[in-house]
Amino acid sequence: MTEPTEHNPGERTFPHLFSPIRIGRVEVPNRIVITSHGASEAFRNPAMNPDAYLEYLRRRAAGGAGLIIAQPILSDPLHSITAETQDRHGRLAELVRAEGAILLLQLTHLGVFARSEADVRRPPLLGFQGSQSAAGETAHRMTSAEIELMIEGYRRTAQLAAAAGFDGVEVHGAHGYLVQQSLTPAFNSRDDEWGQDRTLFARRLLATARNEVGPDRIVCYRTPTDDLRSPEDGGIGFTGMVRIVRELLATGHIDVLNTTIGDGGASYARAIPNYRYSEAPNIPAAVRLRAAVPVEVPVIGVGRILSAGLAESLLARGDCDLVAMTRAHIADPDLVAKVRAGRSHRVRPCVGGNVCVNRKLAGYPEISCLHNPEVLRERDLAPTPAERPRDVLVVGAGPAGLKAAEIAAKRGHRVRVVDAGDRPGGRLRAAEHTAALGLLGAVDYLVSELGELGVELRRGTTADAELLRALAPDHVVLATGGLPVGPDGYPDAAEGLVVDSAAALAGRAGQRVLVYDTVGANEGPLVAEALATRGLHVVFLTSCETVMPWGGQLHRAEVPAILRRRCTEVITGGLLGDVDGKHVIVVRPDGETITELDVDTVVAVEPPRPALNLVPALERLALPYQVVGDALAPRTAMHAFKEGHEAALAL
């Protein structure tokens, strides 16, 4: 390890985090790991440009992560690997290893997962029996010969990794994919050798991987610490997992154990915990498994390890030997470099919004991040110095305005921000009253960065023509957000009956509340949950066919059940019909009445109206301006952060 100096004081503060570790015969420069995650479908497709993913991983290796596990090749391993695929993996290994990181390639097959018709070239889902995926498709039961072909597919991928210059491979035995299916009675009740000894498939894969990469490279195995599924329910349970891990370690092929929890499906939300969880909620299960086996190879602790301070404490206690900080690196690729330089306070935090993994699970071709738009756009969105510094006025201190101010200041512009409110954050500020309080970390980070960059932030200041004339900016970024629809859309409602989310969460809600959600994202359910938690009688009504269809799959794995437990009633596919005073009628789209209610408050979760009152003044004064965020089109906070960033680059 490099001796701590005035240039890297973080190494003195975090001695365990920055100490090297030997995994097998390979020395890893520090204990910080980026685990495998599907980030870019373009990199997997030989016909598409791989450069975005190449730069994405190179950037994080340059930031200082010690061990990186690249995304797997998810094409069916029964198919051949093209020369282009081999070449781009070689380029990836060269770029990442040149930055000093150790690089592994994950070996996996999804098995009975999702559906096959997304790609007409795909074969049926493949399983150890004719199981049905959570998406409802039935798998083909592989013959013994086809299982051998599957092992051959894994071998070819391990061979690719070795030939491309990777430092080893990881066999993925978790998240409910094929290897974990082979170990789980509910997915493998065969009466042949593959079912009589359910560890056979995993052991064969480990032996194959070791044979291909040799003794000088790493073989990692990813395992659940507990599948959170009882044997009575066709699962393994903690006791069964202990036996399996013991048998797999006994092969002698595993150099490092990478942990997770659950068996995919609904438990995936626990494996990748969001803002509802404190930091590192899955470490106790890893400690328990390690004690029960015991595990003598290094163990990677995984699951919402966000800060260097907590990572250091986990290592110091011996809870794990390496720490996975994957989503933390999605949020800030310079995390390690900042910590090493003693600038931990300037790390852009992962706030647990899970935009990254939710995009992947939704089938989108690229991941992103709630408040780091540069993910997979590192070159396109790099804040390069401005050719001519300008005086920039940002109106609005919500996500779009704050982000625009940050990037404009980083580019060398002279920036001022004005906001009519007394606290920054815009509509996102209301999240502080909900289970999504952690999202405000994105706002706090930007406010702190503006302070570091010397940007003036005027709160409680309304922008008007007089202010514009007085400040005389060269350019204006209009990030004024949106105005709630409010009672205008409900002319027959009693006075004060209809309020927006922020007002309701601030205390303007009676005992009987109807939360009416026409957006289908996270806001409505979060508001309903928060109000019900206060003891109010809440009916949640959505015009969508399901609860929060656009809220992200991992959130949807948890939130509907929470609403059913806490709300008086949950109604999907309904519309708010007549509102007469405090009496409301809920109907189906065809007009059929679902129910009638007497309520004290209706919380209208509807798209706000863009707040563009300043536009006439800007045009009279002939001031150049850009409109961003909800003022342009009311959408999500992710869109607002992205547009603020892009607006600043356009200056």
Side-chain angles (χ1 to χ4, degrees):
M1 182 181 72
T2 305
E3 286 298 314
T5 69
E6 61 179 347
H7 301 296
N8 51 20
E11 293 185 357
R12 195 181 303 279
T13 307
F14 306 103
H16 294 86
L17 195 62
F18 289 111
S19 65
I21 183 172
R22 184 163 291 278
I23 299 178
R25 299 182 184 180
V26 178
E27 184 170 279
V28 179
N30 60 54
R31 308 298 180 100
I32 301 158
V33 181
I34 298 176
T35 58
S36 180
H37 54 287
S40 170
E41 290 303 314
F43 185 77
R44 291 193 176 115
N45 188 335
M48 298 183 71
N49 191 320
D51 289 352
Y53 184 70
L54 292 171
E55 178 61 14
Y56 169 79
L57 272 202
R58 187 210 64 80
R59 181 84 166 72
R60 282 147 182 83
L67 175 64
I68 298 176
I69 308 173
Q71 71 178 27
I73 300 173
L74 285 180
S75 57
D76 194 301
L78 301 181
H79 293 175
S80 61
I81 293 171
T82 67
E84 170 59 27
T85 297
Q86 181 77 51
D87 177 69
R88 61 182 54 187
H89 280 82
R91 292 168 59 195
L92 178 64
E94 182 179 2
L95 288 169
V96 170
R97 297 185 72 222
E99 300 292 352
I102 301 301
L103 181 66
L104 308 183
L105 179 63
Q106 188 181 80
L107 314 181
T108 193
H109 188 280
L110 301 184
V112 189
F113 181 84
R115 298 185 68 88
S116 62
E117 67 254 22
D119 183 349
V120 294
R121 298 167 182 81
R122 283 184 64 183
L125 301 182
L126 300 173
F128 284 82
Q129 61 191 41
S131 303
Q132 192 176 47
S133 75
E137 182 171 336
T138 303
H140 163 67
R141 180 187 186 275
M142 290 186 291
T143 65
S144 185
E146 287 169 333
I147 295 174
E148 293 289 351
L149 283 174
M150 182 67 73
I151 295 171
E152 169 62 14
Y154 274 78
R155 186 198 68 76
R156 286 200 301 268
T157 308
Q159 183 183 53
L160 174 150
F166 282 67
D167 296 290
V169 296
E170 175 181 77
V171 176
H172 194 345
H175 292 163
Y177 301 153
L178 185 63
V179 173
Q180 189 169 7
Q181 292 163 22
S182 75
L183 299 167
T184 304
F187 288 90
N188 182 5
S189 59
R190 299 169 70 108
D191 56 8
D192 61 5
E193 58 179 336
W194 304 104
Q196 292 169 357
D197 177 3
R198 294 194 185 94
T199 66
L200 177 60
F201 183 65
R203 289 189 289 110
R204 286 282 305 278
L205 293 181
L206 288 167
T208 299
R210 174 58 71 197
N211 187 60
E212 287 302 320
V213 303
D216 295 330
R217 289 186 171 95
I218 294 170
V219 172
C220 175
Y221 182 74
R222 185 149 213 201
T223 183
T225 52
D226 187 336
D227 70 347
L228 303 178
R229 187 172 181 175
S230 70
E232 292 76 20
D233 189 32
I236 300 167
F238 176 75
T239 301
M241 195 60 65
V242 167
R243 177 186 58 78
I244 288 168
V245 172
R246 184 180 289 121
E247 290 186 30
L248 297 182
L249 288 171
T251 65
H253 298 312
I254 298 174
D255 296 313
V256 58
L257 203 62
N258 187 10
T259 62
T260 183
I261 201 165
D263 68 343
S267 69
Y268 206 39
R270 171 70 185 275
I272 310 176
N274 60 32
Y275 47 63
R276 292 177 179 273
Y277 296 83
S278 59
E279 277 200 76
N282 297 332
I283 291 296
V287 172
R288 183 184 178 203
L289 178 72
R290 191 177 196 177
V293 173
V295 180
E296 296 181 356
V297 300
V299 172
I300 304 173
V302 182
R304 198 164 160 75
I305 301 173
L306 307 179
S307 65
L310 178 67
E312 175 70 18
S313 67
L314 295 175
L315 295 169
R317 288 201 308 260
D319 290 352
C320 53
D321 303 292
L322 301 101
V323 287
M325 303 184 74
T326 308
R327 285 177 293 164
H329 274 86
I330 294 174
D332 192 339
D334 297 320
L335 182 154
V336 179
K338 289 177 180 178
V339 172
R340 191 186 294 273
R343 297 186 296 127
S344 299
H345 63 290
R346 297 196 69 176
V347 171
R348 183 190 297 112
C350 169
V351 296
N354 277 353
V355 166
C356 48
V357 68
N358 280 327
R359 284 182 58 84
K360 179 61 187 171
L361 294 174
Y364 299 150
E366 293 181 333
I367 65 167
S368 189
C369 173
L370 177 76
H371 64 137
N372 179 16
E374 293 180 60
V375 170
L376 290 168
R377 301 175 70 190
E378 278 78 13
R379 289 178 177 162
D380 294 342
L381 297 188
T384 54
E387 293 183 6
R388 178 171 64 88
R390 299 179 179 182
D391 288 317
V392 177
L393 175 65
V394 177
V395 183
L402 293 173
K403 190 65 179 177
E406 178 211 18
I407 300 303
K410 284 184 174 180
R411 297 190 63 216
H413 295 295
R414 298 174 293 273
V415 183
R416 286 172 288 194
V417 182
V418 298
D419 190 86
D422 57 355
R423 302 177 71 196
R427 286 204 300 137
L428 188 59
R429 172 57 58 184
E432 68 183 342
H433 301 293
T434 74
L437 167 65
L439 296 181
L440 268 297
V443 173
D444 296 339
Y445 165 77
L446 284 174
V447 171
S448 176
E449 279 296 289
L450 294 186
E452 296 278 351
L453 295 166
V455 174
E456 179 187 4
L457 173 55
R458 295 190 192 179
R459 305 175 189 180
T461 302
T462 300
D464 54 18
E466 182 179 352
L467 181 70
L468 293 174
R469 280 192 291 267
L471 297 180
D474 298 319
H475 194 93
V476 176
V477 176
L478 199 62
T480 42
L483 302 172
V485 174
D488 294 347
Y490 306 89
D492 296 325
E495 184 177 354
L497 180 77
V498 180
V499 300
D500 67 338
S501 296
L505 292 169
R508 288 173 52 192
Q511 187 64 29
R512 300 170 300 172
V513 180
L514 175 68
V515 175
Y516 180 43
D517 177 21
T518 68
V519 177
N522 300 75
E523 178 185 344
L526 283 168
V527 172
E529 176 192 356
L531 297 178
T533 301
R534 297 178 187 179
L536 306 183
H537 298 288
V538 178
V539 174
F540 177 77
L541 167 65
T542 176
S543 58
C544 303
E545 293 184 358
T546 60
V547 173
M548 55 189 296
W550 312 115
Q553 186 168 324
L554 293 191
H555 296 300
R556 290 180 61 208
E558 299 177 308
V559 173
I562 292 173
L563 293 188
R564 287 193 297 271
R565 287 196 306 269
R566 297 188 176 175
C567 292
T568 304
E569 188 176 4
V570 174
I571 304 172
T572 59
L575 302 174
L576 192 54
D578 291 338
V579 180
D580 185 2
K582 293 188 174 184
H583 187 76
V584 301
I585 301 176
V586 178
V587 300
R588 299 199 185 283
D590 62 5
E592 177 189 354
T593 296
I594 298 174
T595 188
E596 298 188 27
L597 303 167
D598 289 310
V599 297
D600 302 310
T601 304
V602 172
V603 183
V605 182
E606 301 178 88
R609 293 179 287 106
L612 299 172
N613 298 340
L614 196 60
V615 168
L618 288 166
E619 294 183 345
R620 283 197 306 272
L621 295 170
L623 284 174
Y625 69 94
Q626 295 166 279
V627 184
V628 295
D630 282 355
L632 181 65
R635 287 153 297 153
T636 67
M638 183 193 79
H639 290 100
F641 286 119
K642 176 183 76 73
E643 287 175 0
H645 190 119
E646 292 171 341
L649 292 182
L651 292 172

